[in-house]
PDB file of all heavy atoms in Angstrom:
ATOM      1  N   GLU B 106     -60.088   3.667  71.240  1.00 68.00           N
ATOM      2  CA  GLU B 106     -60.681   4.359  72.315  1.00 68.00           C
ATOM      3  C   GLU B 106     -59.629   4.796  73.344  1.00 68.00           C
ATOM      4  O   GLU B 106     -59.702   5.938  73.875  1.00 68.00           O
ATOM      5  CB  GLU B 106     -61.726   3.516  72.991  1.00 68.00           C
ATOM      6  CG  GLU B 106     -62.948   3.200  72.119  1.00 68.00           C
ATOM      7  CD  GLU B 106     -62.646   2.102  71.133  1.00 68.00           C
ATOM      8  OE1 GLU B 106     -61.604   1.444  71.220  1.00 68.00           O
ATOM      9  OE2 GLU B 106     -63.518   1.945  70.167  1.00 68.00           O
ATOM     10  N   SER B 139     -21.018  19.647  75.293  1.00 91.00           N
ATOM     11  CA  SER B 139     -19.603  20.053  75.295  1.00 91.00           C
ATOM     12  C   SER B 139     -18.933  19.429  74.069  1.00 91.00           C
ATOM     13  O   SER B 139     -18.081  20.063  73.408  1.00 91.00           O
ATOM     14  CB  SER B 139     -18.888  19.498  76.560  1.00 91.00           C
ATOM     15  OG  SER B 139     -19.564  20.122  77.701  1.00 91.00           O
ATOM     16  N   SER B 180       0.528   9.609  44.127  1.00 91.00           N
ATOM     17  CA  SER B 180       1.939   9.547  43.825  1.00 91.00           C
ATOM     18  C   SER B 180       2.364  10.830  43.129  1.00 91.00           C
ATOM     19  O   SER B 180       3.514  11.260  43.268  1.00 91.00           O
ATOM     20  CB  SER B 180       2.233   8.332  43.016  1.00 91.00           C
ATOM     21  OG  SER B 180       1.494   8.324  41.792  1.00 91.00           O
ATOM     22  N   VAL B 182       1.091  13.817  43.469  1.00 93.00           N
ATOM     23  CA  VAL B 182       1.212  14.831  44.582  1.00 93.00           C
ATOM     24  C   VAL B 182       2.501  14.729  45.309  1.00 93.00           C
ATOM     25  O   VAL B 182       3.192  15.760  45.574  1.00 93.00           O
ATOM     26  CB  VAL B 182      -0.037  14.729  45.541  1.00 93.00           C
ATOM     27  CG1 VAL B 182       0.145  15.730  46.701  1.00 93.00           C
ATOM     28  CG2 VAL B 182      -1.321  14.998  44.815  1.00 93.00           C
ATOM     29  N   GLY B 220       2.970  -2.807  62.722  1.00 91.00           N
ATOM     30  CA  GLY B 220       3.978  -3.721  63.154  1.00 91.00           C
ATOM     31  C   GLY B 220       3.623  -4.395  64.448  1.00 91.00           C
ATOM     32  O   GLY B 220       3.889  -5.614  64.565  1.00 91.00           O
ATOM     33  N   CYS B 265      11.787  11.869  67.879  1.00 91.00           N
ATOM     34  CA  CYS B 265      12.615  10.743  68.361  1.00 91.00           C
ATOM     35  C   CYS B 265      11.803  10.136  69.547  1.00 91.00           C
ATOM     36  O   CYS B 265      11.074  10.762  70.246  1.00 91.00           O
ATOM     37  CB  CYS B 265      14.004  11.153  68.816  1.00 91.00           C
ATOM     38  SG  CYS B 265      14.965  11.848  67.475  1.00 91.00           S
ATOM     39  N   ARG B 330      -3.351  -4.579  56.302  1.00 92.00           N
ATOM     40  CA  ARG B 330      -2.744  -3.297  55.904  1.00 92.00           C
ATOM     41  C   ARG B 330      -1.193  -3.411  55.898  1.00 92.00           C
ATOM     42  O   ARG B 330      -0.628  -4.083  56.806  1.00 92.00           O
ATOM     43  CB  ARG B 330      -3.182  -2.143  56.776  1.00 92.00           C
ATOM     44  CG  ARG B 330      -2.837  -0.784  56.266  1.00 92.00           C
ATOM     45  CD  ARG B 330      -3.440   0.342  57.056  1.00 92.00           C
ATOM     46  NE  ARG B 330      -3.103   1.632  56.511  1.00 92.00           N
ATOM     47  CZ  ARG B 330      -3.478   2.773  57.113  1.00 92.00           C
ATOM     48  NH1 ARG B 330      -4.223   2.735  58.087  1.00 92.00           N
ATOM     49  NH2 ARG B 330      -3.149   3.889  56.533  1.00 92.00           N
ATOM     50  N   ALA B 346     -11.691  -7.720  47.655  1.00 91.00           N
ATOM     51  CA  ALA B 346     -11.607  -8.872  48.498  1.00 91.00           C
ATOM     52  C   ALA B 346     -12.969  -9.268  49.124  1.00 91.00           C
ATOM     53  O   ALA B 346     -13.142 -10.429  49.443  1.00 91.00           O
ATOM     54  CB  ALA B 346     -10.515  -8.743  49.625  1.00 91.00           C
ATOM     55  N   ILE B 390     -59.232  -3.820  56.859  1.00 71.00           N
ATOM     56  CA  ILE B 390     -58.981  -5.108  57.551  1.00 71.00           C
ATOM     57  C   ILE B 390     -57.649  -5.162  58.295  1.00 71.00           C
ATOM     58  O   ILE B 390     -57.456  -5.746  59.342  1.00 71.00           O
ATOM     59  CB  ILE B 390     -59.096  -6.264  56.538  1.00 71.00           C
ATOM     60  CG1 ILE B 390     -60.469  -6.227  55.866  1.00 71.00           C
ATOM     61  CG2 ILE B 390     -58.759  -7.645  57.078  1.00 71.00           C
ATOM     62  CD1 ILE B 390     -60.634  -7.278  54.750  1.00 71.00           C
ATOM     63  N   LYS B 426     -17.703 -24.524  43.467  1.00 71.00           N
ATOM     64  CA  LYS B 426     -17.329 -25.742  44.134  1.00 71.00           C
ATOM     65  C   LYS B 426     -15.902 -25.860  44.356  1.00 71.00           C
ATOM     66  O   LYS B 426     -15.366 -26.848  44.896  1.00 71.00           O
ATOM     67  CB  LYS B 426     -17.830 -26.974  43.350  1.00 71.00           C
ATOM     68  CG  LYS B 426     -19.339 -27.229  43.412  1.00 71.00           C
ATOM     69  CD  LYS B 426     -19.831 -27.658  44.777  1.00 71.00           C
ATOM     70  CE  LYS B 426     -21.251 -27.962  44.808  1.00 71.00           C
ATOM     71  NZ  LYS B 426     -21.741 -28.329  46.160  1.00 71.00           N
ATOM     72  N   GLU B 429     -10.446 -23.649  46.796  1.00 87.00           N
ATOM     73  CA  GLU B 429      -9.036 -23.234  46.694  1.00 87.00           C
ATOM     74  C   GLU B 429      -8.897 -22.031  45.708  1.00 87.00           C
ATOM     75  O   GLU B 429      -8.214 -21.050  45.999  1.00 87.00           O
ATOM     76  CB  GLU B 429      -8.213 -24.370  46.154  1.00 87.00           C
ATOM     77  CG  GLU B 429      -6.750 -23.989  46.003  1.00 87.00           C
ATOM     78  CD  GLU B 429      -5.852 -25.185  45.722  1.00 87.00           C
ATOM     79  OE1 GLU B 429      -6.403 -26.371  45.688  1.00 87.00           O
ATOM     80  OE2 GLU B 429      -4.628 -24.997  45.450  1.00 87.00           O
ATOM     81  N   PHE B 486      -6.441  -4.157  83.202  1.00 86.00           N
ATOM     82  CA  PHE B 486      -5.806  -5.463  83.599  1.00 86.00           C
ATOM     83  C   PHE B 486      -5.003  -6.106  82.520  1.00 86.00           C
ATOM     84  O   PHE B 486      -3.910  -6.649  82.766  1.00 86.00           O
ATOM     85  CB  PHE B 486      -7.006  -6.407  83.977  1.00 86.00           C
ATOM     86  CG  PHE B 486      -7.794  -5.947  85.117  1.00 86.00           C
ATOM     87  CD1 PHE B 486      -8.994  -5.277  84.941  1.00 86.00           C
ATOM     88  CD2 PHE B 486      -7.375  -6.106  86.396  1.00 86.00           C
ATOM     89  CE1 PHE B 486      -9.783  -4.855  85.984  1.00 86.00           C
ATOM     90  CE2 PHE B 486      -8.072  -5.682  87.509  1.00 86.00           C
ATOM     91  CZ  PHE B 486      -9.300  -5.006  87.307  1.00 86.00           C
ATOM     92  N   SER B 552      13.807 -10.585  64.168  1.00 68.00           N
ATOM     93  CA  SER B 552      13.761  -9.286  63.525  1.00 68.00           C
ATOM     94  C   SER B 552      12.923  -9.249  62.219  1.00 68.00           C
ATOM     95  O   SER B 552      12.536  -8.192  61.762  1.00 68.00           O
ATOM     96  CB  SER B 552      15.148  -8.776  63.204  1.00 68.00           C
ATOM     97  OG  SER B 552      15.793  -9.647  62.284  1.00 68.00           O
ATOM     98  N   GLU B 560       8.135  -7.573  52.858  1.00 85.00           N
ATOM     99  CA  GLU B 560       8.293  -7.948  51.440  1.00 85.00           C
ATOM    100  C   GLU B 560       7.019  -7.528  50.596  1.00 85.00           C
ATOM    101  O   GLU B 560       7.103  -6.973  49.570  1.00 85.00           O
ATOM    102  CB  GLU B 560       8.621  -9.419  51.268  1.00 85.00           C
ATOM    103  CG  GLU B 560       9.978  -9.809  51.653  1.00 85.00           C
ATOM    104  CD  GLU B 560      10.151  -9.980  53.164  1.00 85.00           C
ATOM    105  OE1 GLU B 560       9.181  -9.802  53.890  1.00 85.00           O
ATOM    106  OE2 GLU B 560      11.264 -10.242  53.672  1.00 85.00           O
ATOM    107  N   ALA B 603      -9.991  -6.526  38.155  1.00 42.00           N
ATOM    108  CA  ALA B 603     -10.139  -5.963  39.459  1.00 42.00           C
ATOM    109  C   ALA B 603     -11.400  -5.158  39.670  1.00 42.00           C
ATOM    110  O   ALA B 603     -12.094  -5.312  40.741  1.00 42.00           O
ATOM    111  CB  ALA B 603      -8.917  -5.067  39.792  1.00 42.00           C
ATOM    112  N   ARG B 640       8.975 -23.974  51.370  1.00 64.00           N
ATOM    113  CA  ARG B 640       8.448 -24.815  52.437  1.00 64.00           C
ATOM    114  C   ARG B 640       8.425 -26.315  52.059  1.00 64.00           C
ATOM    115  O   ARG B 640       8.711 -27.204  52.757  1.00 64.00           O
ATOM    116  CB  ARG B 640       7.076 -24.364  52.918  1.00 64.00           C
ATOM    117  CG  ARG B 640       7.203 -23.054  53.803  1.00 64.00           C
ATOM    118  CD  ARG B 640       5.784 -22.571  54.193  1.00 64.00           C
ATOM    119  NE  ARG B 640       5.931 -21.438  55.098  1.00 64.00           N
ATOM    120  CZ  ARG B 640       4.898 -20.730  55.573  1.00 64.00           C
ATOM    121  NH1 ARG B 640       3.686 -21.042  55.157  1.00 64.00           N
ATOM    122  NH2 ARG B 640       5.097 -19.716  56.377  1.00 64.00           N
ATOM    123  N   ARG B 643      11.929 -27.401  52.026  1.00 58.00           N
ATOM    124  CA  ARG B 643      12.383 -27.508  53.419  1.00 58.00           C
ATOM    125  C   ARG B 643      11.994 -28.838  53.977  1.00 58.00           C
ATOM    126  O   ARG B 643      12.724 -29.451  54.756  1.00 58.00           O
ATOM    127  CB  ARG B 643      11.878 -26.337  54.230  1.00 58.00           C
ATOM    128  CG  ARG B 643      12.471 -26.301  55.684  1.00 58.00           C
ATOM    129  CD  ARG B 643      11.870 -25.168  56.424  1.00 58.00           C
ATOM    130  NE  ARG B 643      12.246 -23.952  55.880  1.00 58.00           N
ATOM    131  CZ  ARG B 643      13.369 -23.288  56.203  1.00 58.00           C
ATOM    132  NH1 ARG B 643      14.238 -23.826  57.075  1.00 58.00           N
ATOM    133  NH2 ARG B 643      13.755 -22.137  55.617  1.00 58.00           N
TER     134      ARG B 643
END
Side-chain angles (χ1 to χ4, degrees):
E106 294 77 12
S139 301
S180 60
V182 176
C265 297
R330 191 172 178 181
I390 299 177
K426 287 291 186 179
E429 181 172 355
F486 299 98
S552 63
E560 288 79 3
R640 286 177 174 174
R643 186 183 295 274

